[in-house]
Amino acid sequence: MQGKGYLFTSDRLGFRNWREDDIQEMIDINSDAEVMAFFPSIQDEQQTIAFIKRMQNQFHERGYCYYAVDRLDKEVFLGFIGLSWQTYQADFTPCVD
C-alpha cells in the first residue's frame, strides 16, 4: 500500500488522516446497526461527512485525531482509532478521548 500517506504503521495496520474516498466506506460502517451497537446511534451520510471533516480539521489544528485505519495485508479500510479532543457537555470536558 505504498503512497497511502500513512503517518505511522504497526505490523498490520496503517494509520492516516482522512481522505474524501473514505466517505462512502465510513457511511456504510456508520449505518450498520450491529457495528454501531455500542455507539449512541447509527449515523447518516451528513453526520458521517461532518465527522470526517471534524477529524481532518482536528488533525491539522492539533496534530492528532481519530485516524483512518487500513489493514495493510488486505489493503482494506477498517475504520478509525486514535485520540480526539472532546467538548461535549460533561463534568470532565474538555478532554482528550
Side-chain angles (χ1 to χ4, degrees), residues 73-86:
D73 65 340
K74 303 235 185 227
E75 298 187 0
V76 295
F77 173 78
L78 294 178
F80 65 89
I81 190 169
L83 302 171
S84 182
W85 180 251
Q86 301 294 340

Side-chain angles (χ1 to χ4, degrees), residues 12-37:
R12 298 179 307 127
L13 304 174
F15 301 81
R16 58 179 173 74
N17 198 358
W18 294 84
R19 301 185 305 247
E20 294 301 313
D21 62 343
D22 295 321
I23 292 173
Q24 187 57 55
E25 289 180 286
M26 198 62 208
I27 289 170
D28 294 343
I29 290 170
N30 279 347
S31 65
D32 184 317
E34 186 175 353
V35 171
M36 300 297 286

Side-chain angles (χ1 to χ4, degrees), residues 1-6 75:
M1 293 186 83
Q2 294 294 334
K4 291 285 187 172
Y6 294 118
E75 298 187 0

